[in-house]
Amino acid sequence: MYAERASRLDGAVVWTDGPGEPGAGRVLPDGCMDLLWHDGRLMVAGPDTRAHVTGGSPGGWAGLRFFPGQAPAFLGVPAHELRDRRVALADLWSPAAVRRLTARVNAAGDPASGLEAVVLERAAEVGRPDPVLRQVVAALDAGRPVAATADELGLGARQLHRRSLAAFGYGPKTLARVLRLRRALALARDGVPFATTAARSGYADQAHLARDVKELAGLPLGELLAGR
């Protein structure tokens, strides 16, 4: 069973999920990256541009989901290099260092807490991410146009695009689209009618919402909600 809680790392979420049931699961784009523990191994989930379909797994999972733009400073890797990928942490860091961290997490009574402890320690070493990144996320999540966001932050369009690729894994237009999807799904899951959901989330109309959900999530909105 899936459960999550706020992390002591600002903006991050610690989550756990029990052994998967037979059949595919679906992880939707959310603008985030995750440090994962599964079957005694550490992995990284990069930023998704489409739904990531998973098979049922016999073991449980634990993860720390970074706030958008937060993970690259922790990993030391630009987000666009991990876009739509799941990789072993040992592919990014030295195998010896990863073995030490993996042993620490495995020795913890709770792998999720072990992950959080590792991340907090590393975060203290690398310092805080660029505060402008939070402002970018806040502006786009509020529905501000990309050009207006760049102007308000004193950034050129190309500069915002470059910084977005490194921090989020894709350009600001894609990030805005992903954040809009999240807003829409939150409303729809609360029972808000689809037409109202579309209007409140920033879509042109309900048909626009339906197309975007199908393209990003891989399922029609009604079917997606039925599967939760």
Side-chain angles (χ1 to χ4, degrees):
M1 181 177 180
Y2 179 84
E4 65 178 42
R5 63 171 174 81
S7 170
R8 287 177 289 157
L9 180 67
D10 185 30
V13 172
V14 177
W15 60 267
T16 57
D17 200 5
E21 298 178 358
R26 189 172 298 269
V27 179
L28 303 184
D30 58 7
C32 302
M33 296 172 62
D34 292 57
L35 179 64
L36 307 171
W37 173 93
H38 175 64
D39 197 23
R41 296 178 297 125
L42 297 182
M43 294 167 283
V44 175
D48 292 321
T49 59
R50 299 290 186 273
H52 175 75
V53 178
T54 64
S57 171
W61 291 79
L64 186 138
R65 182 177 306 117
F66 294 90
F67 188 83
Q70 195 177 46
F74 171 83
L75 295 171
V77 177
H80 63 81
E81 294 187 8
L82 301 174
R83 184 172 54 233
D84 293 320
R85 298 176 63 199
R86 269 65 179 160
V87 302
L89 184 60
D91 290 342
L92 307 178
W93 292 359
S94 76
V98 173
R99 282 195 298 271
R100 290 193 297 271
L101 294 179
T102 303
R104 285 181 56 188
V105 175
N106 289 338
D110 169 23
S113 296
L115 275 179
E116 184 179 31
V118 165
V119 170
L120 287 169
E121 184 177 291
R122 169 75 173 172
E125 295 173 355
V126 301
R128 296 176 61 85
D130 184 349
V132 170
L133 301 177
R134 291 245 177 173
Q135 295 173 278
V136 171
V137 174
L140 297 179
D141 199 25
R144 297 290 293 155
V146 170
T149 297
D151 288 343
E152 290 164 4
L153 296 177
L155 300 173
R158 291 183 179 180
Q159 185 182 13
L160 176 59
H161 189 79
R162 286 195 303 270
R163 292 173 75 163
S164 294
L165 283 178
F168 310 118
Y170 28 63
K173 289 185 178 180
T174 299
L175 177 62
R177 193 176 175 212
V178 167
L179 295 175
R180 183 177 60 186
L181 174 70
R182 290 178 58 183
R183 296 196 302 273
L185 291 178
L187 291 170
R189 285 169 176 151
D190 283 343
V192 177
F194 291 173
T196 305
T197 289
R200 289 175 57 183
S201 302
Y203 291 92
D205 50 30
Q206 185 174 336
H208 183 199
L209 167 65
R211 289 193 303 270
D212 226 39
V213 170
K214 184 67 181 295
E215 185 171 346
L216 292 175
L219 290 174
L221 180 55
E223 189 175 337
L224 184 66
L225 295 177
R228 304 303 289 182

